[in-house]
Amino acid sequence: MKDTALSSTHVALGAKMVPFAGYNMPVQYEGVNIEHQTVRDAVGVFDVSHMGEFLIEGPHALELIQKVSSNDVSKLEVGKAQYSCLPNDDGGVVDDLIIYKVKEDTYLLVVNASNIEKDWNWISSKNDVGAEMRDLSEAYSLLAIQGPKAVEAMQSLTSYDLSAIKFYNFVIGDFAGIENVIISATGYTGSGGFEIYCKNSEVKQVWEKVFEAGANFGIKPIGLAARDTLRLEMGYCLYGNDIDDTTSPIEAGLGWVCKFNKDFTNSEALKAEKERSPERKLVAFKLDERGIPRHGYDIVDGNGNTIGNVTSGTMSPSLGIGIGMGYVPTVFSKVDSKIGIQVRKKRIPATVVKPPFYKG
């Protein structure tokens, strides 16, 4: 197992550590519900340094990224980021990712920790245009400072006006006494905040300064378990659960990041799928009775026939009800459609809803 630069810090704070994507990671400190609510109400800090970072640059960088990613990167301006996915040749998804335009001809791709090697090999295999590629994953750390009080709590650490950084925008500058830090408003919790990219040698100082600055705002360290409940309340996909090599971005509801004004991997087949409508769709649902849907549970129709399975599910800490996502035949995908979730031997009625579950 690999450690992040802060693993010993998490252990000292009493975190429960678990293996995740090849890394020793904090899953929780005080408890999922407490940590979840800290992010919804105040400010919390996640160490997500296991994520991967690739730098793609040079005169052919845009050409390569346009070819491998589904979104239209030519629309990006310096200082802006974009959510996208890497389609495979068979209709599925290699990974979802965020693409940052750092400067002209220089892009930072942030990929999921479990897919770093796979993504690197995939993009490299498509690089017949001579774009320059560097894998920075082992050298950089990433902190997600999330919550409605993040701006106010962190403002003293930088000369930049944090309130002026709009969603999916970023700046590169001073933060917590370190220069050339990426401060990015690209969080995955739905409660606002920032993600901070810095070198491994700098992250301990950043962590300590962040907690000093946030002391009067109720700041707490947050584990991966609460990260999962927070993103699920927003209806955000998790790679390996809701999307993978066998799920198409169209059926996963990611057609909005597939721009068919350009050619990209498998774009013709995905365009055709979008036009004819997929046979199944990823839906969000809430349980009508008490229960907790879990990954892998069967989704059934009114007669008890299995029609799909739960890809993500939990008891929503914010709402106090069971929520989840899963793939069902398109006929069951309309909002207010009635389905059932097989929780062990009990079939619990559920209703398809429009995400996000948590409205803020």
Side-chain angles (χ1 to χ4, degrees), residues 273-334:
E273 182 184 6
K274 186 173 184 179
E275 289 172 350
R276 70 173 180 267
S277 187
E279 294 180 3
R280 63 173 191 163
K281 288 185 178 179
L282 182 66
V283 297
F285 63 83
K286 62 179 181 181
L287 298 190
D288 299 334
E289 299 174 5
R290 187 151 186 89
I292 305 176
R294 301 290 188 194
H295 174 78
Y297 283 7
D298 286 343
I299 301 175
V300 298
D301 63 15
N303 297 317
N305 301 308
T306 300
I307 57 171
N309 57 51
V310 176
T311 55
S312 289
T314 194
M315 174 64 73
S316 165
S318 298
L319 308 176
I321 59 173
I323 62 171
M325 298 196 293
Y327 287 93
V328 297
T330 300
V331 67
F332 292 96
S333 67
K334 293 183 178 65

Side-chain angles (χ1 to χ4, degrees), residues 194-215:
F194 301 93
E195 295 188 314
I196 303 295
Y197 297 82
C198 62
K199 293 176 182 176
N200 290 344
S201 59
E202 301 166 338
V203 73
K204 193 149 190 177
Q205 175 177 322
V206 173
W207 176 276
E208 290 169 356
K209 296 283 188 184
V210 162
F211 276 87
E212 286 173 17

